[in-house]
Amino acid sequence: MATFDLVVVGAGIVGLAHALAGARRGMRVAVLERDARASMASVRNFGFVTVTGQDEGATRRRALRSREVWAEVAAAAGIEIHQRGAVVVARRPEAFAVLREYAAGSMGEGCELWDAGETIARMPQVRQGIAGALSSRHELRVEAREALPLLARWLEQAHGVTFLWGATALGIEGTSVRHGEGVVEGRAVVIAPGTAVAAFAPELAQRVRLRDCTLQMMRIASPGADFRLPSVVMTDLSLLRYGGFAAQPSAAALRERATRECSAQLAAGVHLIVAAGGDGTLVVGDSHRYGNLADPFSSSEVDELILGELQRLMHVPAPRIMQRWLGHYPVADVSPLLSEELAPRVRLVSVTSGTGMSTAFAIGEETLEWLEGFDFPTRV
Ligand SMILES: Cc1cc2nc3c(=O)[nH]c(=O)nc-3n(C[C@H](O)[C@H](O)[C@H](O)COP(=O)(O)OP(=O)(O)OC[C@H]3O[C@@H](n4cnc5c(N)ncnc54)[C@H](O)[C@@H]3O)c2cc1C
């Protein structure tokens, strides 16, 4: 039986990012995935690789690095970049005050402020009455459900990564992984299980109070041939969810106003992200519901809250919903990342902040640096 340098459990974006980081160091890598293809958070998200608005520090640094890797990988693996940049449209003056403070600070690099007139001139889909916008050039947007399979295929073909699809890891013995049909021998193991941390480390999951966050998402039909969004769009309530914005002093006034005007949205964790596909369809979301068990049920009231936010911001008179889906990511007392050595050369890595599409490639590189500490044989 072949022995691999690195065995990765989970073919979500975090698992694939570790596979890439290992392969770039010349390692022989195997990836085990319990499903026939990636089908969890990594294909249910916006595909929005976000820098602006991320928490200052490690998350922003990881997002900047991961965005670079996404650009390299997308070109090599034939992954289309559907949108570039982000525009945060402030509907309320309090939101524009947050954007002004953000733009003036160190994280505002690569961003510019637009007044209301310039925003509407550049984005005629946006309704009158807004206060202005912040435009960021950092972001990329891929269609996650297309990108993940292309990335896996490219890792296989260009980097010789071995994939075992439909192989559920049942246990780790030393640095080998037992699955339903045998054992994959490795010199190191990275477990990237998304929400399924407790299956590998129940005490860890309990210690960090691992919970699930459930999000509602929709795809709506193209609102018209002239409705084009070159960048992903967000608006006021996003400023209260993204740590980099929420840390600005003016965010307190925005929160106070939102508490009065948007209590239902805040209770459901609703804010607005609008991402566009090459076919003109829009991916719109989302909401955040926290609990000990991934919630299987979606709520039409929450969909209406999301669509209400969309319609107050943009001219989309009769949104036609083509698809609805739920996504889940883990949250814990340890955030933004749970990265724990379970045994020598065995590490569990799970993003506990809903930022994995934006940060996974950098996290993979960090984990591989940790393996260097074991005098790990590589063939670069
Ligand atoms: C609706 C939604 C929207 C989001 N939007 C964004 C966004 O726009 N930008 C952003 O940066 N982040 C976003 N996120 C967060 C991002 O999607 C996640 O942080 C990221 O996908 C986590 O990747 P992962 O590989 O850890 O987890 P997952 O994608 O859940 O992958 C884990 C994999 O491990 C496999 N697995 C588990 N147990 C086993 C086992 N025993 N054996 C074998 N395989 C196993 C699972 O089958 C799964 O394929 C969003 C999340 C959701 C849900």
Side-chain angles (χ1 to χ4, degrees):
M1 178 191 295
T3 297
F4 294 91
D5 298 312
L6 177 64
V7 182
V8 177
V9 176
I13 189 61
V14 174
L16 298 188
H18 283 81
L20 174 64
R24 281 183 163 177
R25 286 169 179 250
M27 293 178 171
R28 277 172 306 171
V29 181
V31 178
L32 276 82
E33 167 55 51
R34 69 182 169 193
D35 290 330
R37 59 176 184 273
S39 61
M40 304 302 280
S42 300
V43 298
R44 300 181 190 202
N45 58 46
F46 293 94
F48 183 30
V49 180
T50 320
V51 172
T52 291
Q54 298 285 16
D55 284 329
E56 193 164 17
T59 302
R60 182 177 165 85
R61 179 179 46 71
R62 287 175 179 143
L64 281 163
R65 171 64 190 148
S66 299
R67 192 272 324 269
E68 265 176 45
V69 179
W70 266 112
E72 293 159 16
V73 160
I79 297 169
E80 190 177 345
I81 294 175
H82 289 277
Q83 290 173 292
R84 289 177 190 274
V87 178
V88 189
V89 181
R91 288 179 43 226
R92 297 170 178 82
E94 291 86 346
F96 199 43
V98 174
L99 295 179
R100 272 202 306 267
E101 285 174 354
Y102 185 90
S106 60
M107 292 190 288
E109 181 272 321
C111 297
E112 58 181 65
L113 285 171
W114 298 342
D115 64 18
E118 186 173 4
T119 306
I120 290 173
R122 288 175 181 259
M123 297 175 62
Q125 309 89 339
V126 170
R127 290 184 184 279
Q128 295 288 341
I130 56 155
L134 176 108
S135 164
S136 160
R137 66 170 160 75
H138 293 296
E139 284 66 27
L140 297 178
R141 196 253 155 181
V142 298
E143 190 72 73
R145 60 185 72 176
E146 294 167 5
L148 266 278
L150 288 169
L151 184 53
R153 196 173 68 193
W154 173 73
L155 285 168
E156 191 172 32
Q157 292 175 351
H159 286 286
V161 173
T162 299
F163 281 86
L164 283 83
W165 299 104
T168 301
L170 301 172
I172 317 288
E173 277 124 32
T175 51
S176 295
V177 179
R178 183 167 50 82
H179 59 101
E181 285 159 31
V183 173
V184 181
E185 309 256 359
R187 294 195 175 112
V189 179
V190 170
I191 308 162
T195 55
V197 173
F200 295 93
E203 284 162 11
L204 172 66
Q206 204 164 31
R207 173 159 52 84
V208 301
R209 293 200 317 126
L210 201 95
R211 284 114 44 217
D212 278 304
C213 178
T214 301
L215 295 82
Q216 287 189 205
M217 301 279 284
M218 284 169 270
R219 183 180 296 273
I220 65 172
S222 167
D226 54 349
F227 193 103
R228 275 191 296 277
L229 289 180
S231 303
V232 174
V233 177
M234 297 191 280
T235 184
D236 297 13
L237 297 179
S238 308
L239 302 180
L240 301 177
R241 292 209 68 89
Y242 278 82
F245 294 128
Q248 302 302 319
S250 287
L254 175 63
R255 185 173 296 282
E256 200 263 321
R257 183 162 173 192
T259 304
R260 275 187 279 117
E261 295 178 357
C262 310
S263 57
Q265 289 86 339
L266 292 181
V270 164
H271 74 132
L272 183 69
I273 298 181
V274 188
D279 57 0
T281 59
L282 303 179
V283 176
V284 179
D286 53 16
S287 59
H288 297 79
R289 195 164 49 211
Y290 300 91
N292 285 331
L293 197 61
D295 197 332
F297 304 112
S298 82
S299 143
S300 53
E301 284 86 3
V302 170
D303 285 349
E304 279 161 27
L305 289 172
I306 296 168
L307 292 177
E309 286 294 299
L310 173 68
Q311 289 181 293
R312 277 187 286 278
L313 182 70
M314 290 181 172
H315 298 286
V316 187
R320 186 166 67 79
I321 300 171
M322 302 167 70
Q323 291 176 330
R324 292 184 168 89
W325 66 96
L326 295 174
H328 308 278
Y329 63 71
V331 290
D333 290 351
V334 175
S335 179
L337 175 68
L338 180 62
S339 177
E340 186 94 1
E341 187 173 347
L342 301 183
R345 295 186 188 181
V346 178
R347 186 168 277 272
L348 182 143
V349 182
S350 183
V351 176
T352 47
S353 50
T355 58
M357 280 302 265
S358 308
T359 56
F361 285 123
I363 292 168
E365 291 174 354
E366 288 168 28
T367 305
L368 269 288
E369 276 166 29
W370 160 77
L371 271 179
E372 274 177 4
F374 291 95
D375 193 20
F376 203 82
T378 56
R379 289 177 292 279
V380 184

